[in-house]
């Protein structure tokens, strides 16, 4: 893969002269960008839950944040297992890594959308 960021951006954007390995790297890069957005969205959700938990705790009610954190860990396990299952079902396919990273990106985008819809 090319070394300059501009060349990498062009390769990932156009796919021009890209090998399967290049496409896999671009898919992984795309997932990493989406995952960074997920982490930002989670921090926002956690901050909101923490604020709400203050009142809940003051009224001797169960708090939400620990359950959100448990749910997020379970979601990560679900996403990873789902994507491994999709990928490994292909056998020795040359696009295996592209399939994996595209799956990770797709399910992560869905999670971001779910979290954002609960903020409204």
């Amino acid at each position: 893969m090319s070394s300059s960021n501009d060349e990498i951006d062009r390769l990932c954007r156009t796919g021009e002269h890209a090998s399967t390995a290049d496409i896999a790297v671009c898919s992984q890069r795309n997932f990493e960008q989406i995952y960074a957005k997920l982490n930002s969205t989670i921090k926002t959700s956690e901050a909101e839950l923490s604020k709400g938990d203050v009142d809940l705790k003051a009224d001797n009610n169960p708090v939400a944040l620990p359950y959100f954190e448990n749910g997020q860990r379970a979601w990560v396990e679900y996403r990873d297992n789902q994507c491994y299952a999709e990928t490994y079902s292909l056998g020795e396919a040359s696009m295996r890594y592209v399939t994996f990273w595209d799956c990770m990106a797709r399910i992560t985008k869905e999670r971001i959308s779910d979290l954002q819809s609960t903020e409204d």
Side-chain angles (χ1 to χ4, degrees), residues 11-94:
L11 178 69
C12 290
R13 191 176 51 258
T14 67
E16 187 177 313
H17 306 295
S19 68
T20 302
D22 291 336
I23 295 168
V25 169
C26 291
S27 293
Q28 181 178 357
R29 183 177 183 222
N30 179 53
F31 165 72
E32 289 168 355
Q33 292 167 346
I34 293 166
Y35 192 68
K37 183 174 182 181
L38 174 65
N39 285 332
S40 174
T41 304
I42 287 170
K43 287 188 188 312
T44 300
S45 295
E46 289 174 337
E48 290 298 317
L49 289 170
S50 290
K51 281 194 269 184
D53 281 355
V54 170
D55 292 334
L56 291 170
K57 195 172 197 173
D59 293 335
N60 291 319
N61 287 308
V63 294
L65 184 59
Y67 292 99
F68 175 81
E69 292 168 338
N70 287 341
Q72 188 58 33
R73 280 190 294 277
W75 174 84
V76 167
E77 186 174 351
Y78 157 76
R79 180 204 57 201
D80 293 356
N81 285 326
Q82 182 65 33
C83 292
Y84 282 121
E86 284 183 26
T87 301
Y88 293 151
S89 71
L90 298 173
E92 292 294 319
S94 64

Side-chain angles (χ1 to χ4, degrees), residues 101-120:
W101 292 117
D102 287 351
C103 176
M104 296 284 281
R106 183 185 77 246
I107 294 175
T108 301
K109 282 182 189 177
E110 291 168 4
R111 180 64 173 161
I112 292 168
S113 178
D114 289 345
L115 291 173
Q116 289 174 337
S117 71
T118 61
E119 292 173 2
D120 299 336

